[in-house]
């Protein structure tokens, strides 16, 4: 990986049209941003050229993250680059840490909210589905027959998934005690289909036990 890294920094691997080759710091930052966030968008604030570099130097990023067991993808339609975590095998990285029960429920509700928005054609040109914390709370109650987290804990969990590129939080309405949410395409990366199937199977088994 050192030779391809150096080729990019030295400009041997041509930079994007009209742009300069990245510095070591910029390229390292792009790698770190992806490891930290998992899903990065063209409009993600505070990341410098990270999205642009990851998209342009996709073969390098694919090879680099393959060494760590990740699948790097560029999703042009959603203006997103992301890391997918393979479901099989034992892992020892932060991206594959086991979620707590309440975190699992919130992630499931966010994915369901996104799917519902897609079916109802309530998705913006940027691939965003808008909902509120009330929608997430209701979804947890109806879809999982579980009590949702308290508001403070729910906010902490939502911020966790926001840091990973799954959503953005709007400004909380202090009177209604509702926070608008913008669920991003990355929610499908954080909650892949195989994971959804496992959660649904768990929910079905739990329902059978309570019947």
């Amino acid at each position: 990986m050192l030779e391809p890294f150096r080729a990019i920094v030295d400009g041997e691997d041509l930079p994007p049209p009209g742009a300069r080759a990245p510095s070591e710091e910029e390229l390292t930052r792009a790698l770190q941003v992806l490891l930290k966030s998992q899903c990065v968008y063209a409009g993600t604030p505070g990341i410098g050229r990270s999205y642009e570099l990851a998209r342009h130097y996709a073969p390098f990023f694919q090879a680099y993250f393959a060494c760590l067991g990740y699948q790097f993808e560029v999703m042009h339609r959603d203006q997103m680059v992301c890391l997918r975590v393979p479901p099989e095998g034992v892992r020892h990285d932060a991206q594959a840490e086991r979620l707590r029960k309440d975190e699992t429920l919130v992630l499931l509700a966010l994915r369901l909210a996104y799917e519902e928005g897609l079916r109802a054609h309530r998705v913006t040109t940027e691939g965003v589905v808008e909902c509120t914390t009330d929608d997430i709370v209701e979804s947890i109650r109806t879809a999982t027959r579980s009590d949702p987290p308290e508001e403070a804990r729910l906010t902490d969990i939502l911020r966790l998934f926001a840091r990973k590129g799954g959503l953005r939080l709007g400004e909380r309405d202090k009177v209604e005690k509702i926070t608008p949410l913008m669920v991003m395409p990355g929610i499908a990366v954080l909650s892949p289909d195989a994971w959804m199937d496992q959660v649904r199977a768990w929910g079905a088994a739990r329902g059978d036990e309570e019947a």
Side-chain angles (χ1 to χ4, degrees):
M1 287 293 100
L2 291 178
E3 289 184 9
F5 184 97
R6 181 54 55 190
I8 292 173
V9 171
D10 290 344
E12 296 173 16
D13 191 339
L14 295 178
R20 58 175 173 77
S23 65
E24 288 188 19
E25 181 180 355
E26 286 177 317
L27 190 53
T28 298
R29 180 185 189 183
L31 294 167
Q32 292 175 343
V33 164
L34 264 165
L35 273 175
K36 177 182 178 182
S37 300
Q38 193 170 350
C39 300
V40 176
Y41 305 87
T44 300
I47 62 169
R49 300 173 65 198
S50 296
Y51 170 80
E52 171 197 349
L53 296 178
R55 186 182 65 173
H56 181 73
Y57 297 110
F60 166 73
F61 279 77
Q62 287 169 345
Y64 178 89
F65 286 114
C67 294
L68 302 179
Y70 299 116
Q71 180 182 349
F72 171 81
E73 288 188 21
V74 178
M75 304 179 72
H76 296 284
R77 183 190 64 182
D78 298 321
Q79 297 187 58
M80 177 179 76
V81 294
C82 64
L83 298 179
R84 293 188 184 273
V85 181
E88 69 281 352
V90 177
R91 303 190 62 86
H92 307 280
D93 54 320
Q95 299 290 16
E97 284 182 353
R98 188 177 181 87
L99 295 175
R100 297 178 180 178
K101 178 183 176 182
D102 57 357
E103 294 168 344
T104 298
L105 295 177
V106 172
L107 182 55
L108 173 64
L110 288 168
R111 175 66 188 270
L112 293 176
Y114 192 76
E115 290 181 349
E116 181 181 342
L118 291 177
R119 287 194 299 268
H121 305 289
R122 293 188 292 101
V123 58
T124 70
T125 55
E126 292 80 24
V128 174
V129 170
E130 297 182 352
C131 63
T132 69
T133 45
D134 266 11
D135 296 324
I136 299 304
V137 166
E138 185 59 28
S139 179
I140 291 174
R141 289 197 177 110
T142 57
T144 68
R145 287 169 285 185
S146 301
D147 291 330
E150 296 294 331
E151 184 183 6
R153 173 59 180 159
L154 175 60
T155 301
D156 286 342
I157 296 172
L158 291 171
R159 286 174 177 162
L160 166 66
F161 295 131
R163 288 193 295 271
K164 291 180 173 291
L167 72 146
R168 294 176 185 162
L169 283 75
E171 185 174 351
R172 179 177 180 268
D173 187 315
K174 296 181 180 179
V175 177
E176 299 293 335
K177 296 183 178 180
I178 294 176
T179 301
L181 305 174
M182 290 145 281
V183 188
M184 311 291 288
I187 202 67
V189 176
L190 305 183
S191 56
D193 292 342
W195 179 86
M196 290 287 289
D197 291 342
Q198 292 174 358
V199 174
R200 286 180 172 127
W202 168 79
R206 187 170 178 268
D208 292 341
E209 291 175 358
E210 294 177 354

